[in-house]
Amino acid sequence: MPKDNTKRGPRCVALVGPYGSGKTTLLESILWITGATQRKGSISGRNTVGDAAAEARARQMSVEVNTATTSYLDESFTILDCPGSIEFLQDTLNILPSVDAALVVCEPDPLKAAMLQPYLKRLADLNIPHALFVNKIDKAAGAVRDTLSMLQEVAPKPLVLRQIPIWERGIVTGYVDLALERAHIYREHAASEIVEMKGEVQAREGEARFQMLEKLADYNEHLMEELLSDVPPPRDEIFADLQRDLVEGHIVPVFFGSAERDNGIRRLLKALRHETPEVERVANRLGFGGKDTVLRVMKTYHSAHGGKLRSPGFYRAR
Ligand SMILES: Nc1nc2c(ncn2[C@@H]2O[C@H](COP(=O)(O)OP(=O)(O)OP(=O)(O)O)[C@@H](O)[C@H]2O)c(=O)[nH]1
Ligand SMILES: [Mg+2]
């Protein structure tokens, strides 16, 4: 696995999840934040990059997989935004084997948790690294933990909260990153602002961070020893663990934010950049050799059909 400061090859990430959870809006937010678009569209404005087909526009729902490629900090990501409506479930499940990672997008509503079961189960069965993104945090009415505990009932793998919300007068105004131990306040359609962590937030952070580390320690004896002897684990060790546990499929990290307001999306992109494995992982999973073999397939397709060399997601779909 390359070190964090090493540039990595193109990766392909699927956005999956139930109908209307905000996948196409998340794609729109990612494209805008990464500079692939100059203006952000919305579902109600019928001007998003995804859902461009007349039927999708008319029904205001995805009716096929939307594909877009962008770069974040010089690394290329192809995003496959899958339809959530149940009639397209099979289309979504069919593309999963070829992706490097998947983001399961859901709403902060415990009553909708059961709708995630088909995605979480299939991703676990196929051993595809996946994270959960609790979207629409601007509309959250109760604790993220309540949604999470309902989700855990249908999730085959342990869900590990990577952030906790900061609440003000019943609204989520920011988050604390449990790995970096930093508090962020959201700014609408802009990068969040780092603020000092105080009082009650600090106490909740300490407790939530310990719970996160305890789950990681189930797969790392060294970390377990550190926790038992009250030795603060180094940050590098935590990040290496988070990455390995995602890639190996031990855990499902959980992030939250608002695709509509572009909150929490930069944090999500950073996690994707650091933690999504490279294409050889998929090649091994599918049993057709290492990176060189994938490159050969890409080049053969290229010379047979002409045109530009495209992202791996494009070739894998063939
Ligand atoms: N409040 C709020 N609304 C959102 C957010 N993200 C998306 N929405 C709204 O949720 C609705 C569904 O959004 P989509 O992006 O079409 O959801 P989707 O998951 O792509 O839907 P399907 O592809 O049909 O499954 C739209 O009305 C969006 O404006 C969010 O972060 N906050
Ligand atoms: Mg959609």
Side-chain angles (χ1 to χ4, degrees), residues 59-255:
R59 295 170 72 181
Q60 298 204 11
M61 63 179 261
S62 300
V63 294
E64 61 196 348
V65 179
N66 295 307
T67 308
T69 299
T70 187
S71 358
Y72 180 59
L73 301 175
D74 260 0
E75 292 182 9
S76 170
F77 285 90
T78 294
I79 313 284
L80 305 179
D81 160 33
C82 300
S85 179
I86 197 74
E87 63 222 274
F88 303 111
L89 179 64
Q90 199 53 47
D91 291 3
T92 299
L93 299 180
N94 286 348
I95 65 126
L96 291 182
S98 67
V99 301
D100 296 309
L103 266 183
V104 183
V105 181
C106 71
E107 295 183 47
D109 180 353
L111 298 176
K112 293 189 178 172
M115 291 162 74
L116 269 78
Q117 203 259 356
Y119 306 101
L120 293 170
K121 181 165 185 326
R122 180 63 68 98
L123 288 164
D125 287 350
L126 295 173
N127 208 19
I128 295 167
H130 56 290
L132 189 69
F133 181 66
V134 183
N135 188 32
K136 306 194 187 183
I137 202 70
D138 52 298
K139 286 201 337 192
V144 174
R145 280 195 185 281
D146 292 344
T147 302
L148 223 60
S149 57
M150 292 300 276
L151 282 168
Q152 191 63 78
E153 304 269 318
V154 295
K157 293 182 189 271
L159 303 175
V160 177
L161 201 52
R162 293 274 299 268
Q163 309 171 302
I164 54 165
I166 299 174
W167 293 88
E168 261 175 60
R169 289 188 286 277
I171 293 170
V172 177
T173 55
Y175 69 92
V176 181
D177 186 312
L178 296 176
L180 286 167
E181 300 199 271
R182 269 190 211 145
H184 295 248
I185 294 297
Y186 292 142
R187 291 191 300 154
E188 208 160 334
H189 308 303
S192 61
E193 188 186 333
I194 296 182
V195 294
E196 203 191 325
M197 213 182 341
K198 309 186 225 181
E200 183 260 348
V201 173
Q202 201 158 27
R204 280 201 294 127
E205 187 274 340
E207 195 186 316
R209 180 176 154 90
F210 190 75
Q211 285 174 4
M212 177 185 83
L213 295 177
E214 265 185 326
K215 287 196 183 165
L216 300 184
D218 284 343
Y219 308 97
N220 180 343
E221 264 178 44
H222 182 252
L223 179 60
M224 181 65 90
E225 278 163 24
E226 284 170 334
L227 293 186
L228 291 174
S229 40
D230 270 343
V231 174
R235 196 173 274 177
D236 284 357
E237 183 183 7
I238 297 174
F239 276 111
D241 263 21
L242 286 167
Q243 184 184 45
R244 199 193 48 235
D245 288 345
L246 174 80
V247 171
E248 300 295 330
H250 295 146
I251 62 160
V252 178
V254 180
F255 300 88

